Structure formats: structure tokens, C-alpha cells
Amino acid sequence: TVVFDKTGTLTEGSFTVTAVHPEIIPETALLETAALAESYSDHPVAASLRRAYARPLDKSRVSDMENFAGEGIRAKVDGHEVYAGNEKLMHRAGVVPKPCECKGTIISDTVKPQSSAAIARLKSEGIEKVVMLTGDRPDVADEVARQLGMDELYAGLLPADKVQRVDALTASESKSARLAFVGDGINDAPVLKRADVGI
């Protein structure tokens, strides 16, 4: 079995903001607030928000940052508490997010051109099962998995959930079977260590 992380491994991991849906403040102010909240983060989504804002950021306006692995970030921007992240983080903050009317996600990523051929080659070489694990939303992840011909997909996972899923996959195989995990290492260090082979 070969298990893949999605973002940055099977996809480019270079995100682009494709839509902004402000309700109370203007679009530019919303982008600025999100970019400021993410101004100290090196996560690819944070970088995409900063690129979308495309103006210099005064980081002195930001304080009290807290990262929530696999969810997003909380920070004070101009003294106001800001949560920038996914639906799980919004629920943590007590916010009921409205569903986005755009298909997919407002921050999009593209499949690497060589991913499909790599999956096909693994299968032709005798790999019995190819699995994708991702923290991304199920609808977005399902499209990538279908495109690449993955045998199984597990989405909406935190780093600890990926470890549990690899443990479950390993437990379901014969003793002679081996499991390799392929990831980019940013959030995947625990699961890379847990696999028989970490790439």
C-alpha cells in the first residue's frame, strides 16, 4: 500500500484565492485582515492570502497569534480577535460559517502534471492499493482522487487523524505487507515516522 498526502505532494501546493465573499466589510478590508492575521505563517494558504492582498503589511498591527494544526490561526489584528482558517476553526470560535456558493474551494490548488502517471506506474508495478489522506474538504479531495485513480480517500483529517488512519490501514493488512507514506513533511512528520517506509 502506498499512501499519499494531497497538498504539495500530489498537488502543486501553490494556492490562489479565487473568490472573496465579504458581508460586513469591503473585500479589500477583508483580504487585508486575513493577510495580516496570516502574516507570520509560512503555510501555503497564508502565502496565498498575502499574495491576494498584494500590498505591504504592517506586522506591528498583529499580536497574540495562536496556530491550530490543520485548522488555521487566531490572531489579534488592530486589537480585534481574528480567526482565519477552515470550518473546524470557525466552529471552535463559535462562528457558524455560511457555505460558499462557488464549486470547490475559494482557495484552489492544482494537481501536479506528473501525479497521474506516477499513480498509474505504481499500479502497473504491482502496488495493490493507493490511498490519499488529506486535511482538505471531502468534495475537493474527491475530485483530485477521482482524477488520479486513487483506490481509497480519507478527507478532513488533522495530522493525528492521518496517523490513526495509517495505523488502521497497517492493521488491516497481512503481516508481510508493507505501507509507504509519501508526504511533504510540513504536517506529515508523525505519519511519515509511523509508516514502514516514509518518503
Side-chain angles (χ1 to χ4, degrees):
T1 300
V2 179
V3 181
F4 289 88
D5 166 55
K6 180 181 77 65
T7 306
T9 304
L10 296 170
T11 64
E12 295 289 352
S14 177
F15 297 90
T16 305
V17 174
T18 58
V20 179
H21 301 288
E23 289 196 3
I24 298 168
I25 62 176
E27 181 176 313
T28 303
L30 179 59
L31 268 174
E32 178 184 33
T33 301
L36 279 164
E38 297 276 14
S39 62
Y40 288 96
S41 175
D42 60 358
H43 193 281
V45 171
S48 74
L49 288 167
R50 292 191 301 269
R51 278 193 309 274
Y53 180 60
R55 294 184 182 106
L57 293 168
D58 178 2
K59 291 183 178 183
S60 70
R61 296 169 58 192
V62 184
S63 63
D64 300 329
M65 287 83 50
E66 184 178 5
N67 183 54
F68 297 92
E71 295 181 16
I73 194 164
R74 182 200 58 77
K76 284 195 177 173
V77 176
D78 297 328
H80 299 283
E81 194 166 61
V82 174
Y83 286 81
N86 61 23
E87 193 171 340
K88 289 178 185 175
L89 183 65
M90 296 305 110
H91 289 297
R92 177 190 295 273
V95 174
V96 179
K98 291 185 178 179
C100 179
E101 61 267 19
C102 297
K103 181 169 175 48
T105 180
I106 62 165
I107 297 178
S108 61
D109 192 10
T110 54
V111 173
K112 288 181 179 178
Q114 65 271 31
S115 292
S116 185
I119 299 301
R121 178 78 186 264
L122 285 171
K123 289 183 175 187
S124 75
E125 294 287 334
I127 297 298
E128 294 175 10
K129 190 183 333 180
V130 183
V131 180
M132 185 172 78
L133 305 182
T134 182
D136 210 342
R137 294 180 0 205
D139 59 334
V140 175
D142 188 55
E143 178 61 32
V144 173
R146 243 197 326 267
Q147 239 182 301
L148 297 177
M150 306 303 278
D151 297 311
E152 294 180 24
L153 160 68
Y154 302 94
L157 304 175
L158 295 173
D161 298 328
K162 289 182 179 183
V163 171
Q164 290 175 347
R165 183 53 58 192
V166 163
D167 285 346
L169 286 165
T170 302
S172 69
E173 295 180 343
S174 69
K175 294 215 184 272
S176 63
R178 294 291 175 257
L179 183 141
F181 184 87
V182 184
D184 63 7
I186 293 174
N187 285 320
D188 294 326
V191 75
L192 283 162
K193 185 176 179 182
R194 186 69 122 246
D196 295 312
V197 177
I199 303 168

